[in-house]
Amino acid sequence: MSKEKANIAVFISGRGTNLRALILRSRKKNCNYKIAHVISNKKNAAGLKFAKKNKITTKIISQSFLKIEQKNLAKILINKNIKFICLAGFMKILSPYFLNFFKNKIINIHPSLLPKYKGLNTHQRALKAKEKFSGCTIHFVSKELDSGKIIVKKKVRIFKNDTLRKLEKRVLKEENKLYPLVLEKLVSS
Ligand code: GAR
């Protein structure tokens, strides 16, 4: 008999290509996780549609996300036996109160080679600084922005004639490949 798949929650705010990549991988028979719940702080986040299409339950959190709401969401996730939470383009900072419920269980993907270019507009800043490489990083989430323990980084070359769009597309492609692989490794470790 095959082993039960680990339950994963994904937090998004928008487009959801990383969510999509995580879901697509999870549908493979030999994959060790399944996406059990998708949370968004934006009710129109495009990623929600793909989640619903795949019959994954979704939840919208408020912009204020006060302590009582955080506690209720934590309860829901604990009841769903969530093994890891993946932040995938989730543009809201989780409070230490919420993080405390899931110590070393929340991971994030960021479009730069951390610790370089934390925060927003990473590609723009890397291009402006005439970097030769950019890339993406998957890390554990801590209370400081984009600063927790690094799990893995993937370098992506920056070319002389690169535009923001070209670079973003090249990095995103790597993000979408890397996130499911790293999650599977974490689940099995
Ligand atoms: C991705 O590039 C992700 O690395 C970034 O937002 C994008 C979301 O794309 N996350 C951050 O900047 C977090 N600090 P997606 O919605 O298509 O997955």
Side-chain angles (χ1 to χ4, degrees):
M1 212 167 69
S2 62
K3 238 182 124 190
E4 216 179 301
K5 295 188 176 205
N7 288 333
I8 305 297
V10 184
F11 284 45
I12 61 166
S13 297
R15 186 176 51 185
T17 65
N18 280 298
L19 168 66
R20 189 187 182 95
L22 289 166
I23 293 174
L24 288 177
R25 175 71 203 145
S26 76
R27 295 204 312 221
K28 304 274 180 222
K29 206 175 164 195
N30 61 348
C31 181
N32 59 9
Y33 71 81
K34 68 167 181 281
I35 308 300
H37 207 34
V38 173
I39 290 93
S40 172
N41 63 323
K42 302 268 185 208
K43 67 176 192 308
N44 296 324
L48 287 171
K49 279 192 196 143
F50 194 71
K52 285 177 186 158
K53 234 187 198 171
N54 281 273
K55 302 193 169 39
I56 298 167
T57 56
T58 60
K59 184 168 182 60
I60 311 296
I61 56 169
S62 73
Q63 288 311 317
S64 51
F65 198 41
L66 298 175
K67 263 192 177 176
I68 181 71
E69 195 183 350
Q70 295 177 38
K71 196 175 175 180
N72 287 338
L73 179 60
K75 265 193 205 162
I76 291 174
L77 298 178
I78 291 163
N79 283 339
K80 283 182 181 283
N81 195 20
I82 295 295
K83 183 146 184 188
F84 285 102
I85 293 174
C86 294
L87 308 187
F90 183 65
M91 296 306 186
K92 189 168 175 61
I93 294 170
L94 291 169
S95 73
Y97 178 76
F98 185 81
L99 296 180
N100 239 336
F101 287 102
F102 302 97
K103 280 198 187 119
N104 298 320
K105 298 252 178 282
I106 309 182
I107 61 174
N108 180 42
I109 189 156
H110 184 75
S112 79
L113 297 171
L114 289 173
K116 277 191 169 179
Y117 307 117
K118 297 174 182 179
L120 299 172
N121 305 319
T122 54
H123 302 309
Q124 213 168 322
R125 288 186 284 151
L127 285 172
K128 196 169 174 211
K130 300 205 180 322
E131 297 280 2
K132 288 200 164 59
F133 290 95
S134 183
C136 54
T137 305
I138 296 178
H139 64 95
F140 285 105
V141 174
S142 66
K143 57 185 192 303
E144 288 87 25
L145 179 73
D146 301 327
S147 296
K149 188 174 169 239
I150 289 173
I151 302 167
V152 71
K153 295 194 227 191
K154 172 76 186 176
K155 266 187 178 183
V156 173
R157 186 89 170 86
I158 298 182
F159 299 108
K160 279 215 174 85
N161 64 347
D162 258 344
T163 59
L164 195 57
R165 282 190 77 93
K166 278 189 193 168
L167 179 60
E168 191 201 356
K169 199 172 162 199
R170 198 176 314 120
V171 173
L172 196 62
K173 199 172 163 194
E174 293 305 324
E175 290 186 41
N176 295 168
K177 276 197 253 170
L178 194 63
Y179 217 176
L181 294 179
V182 168
L183 179 59
E184 274 203 280
K185 269 198 186 159
L186 268 181
V187 167
S188 66
S189 65

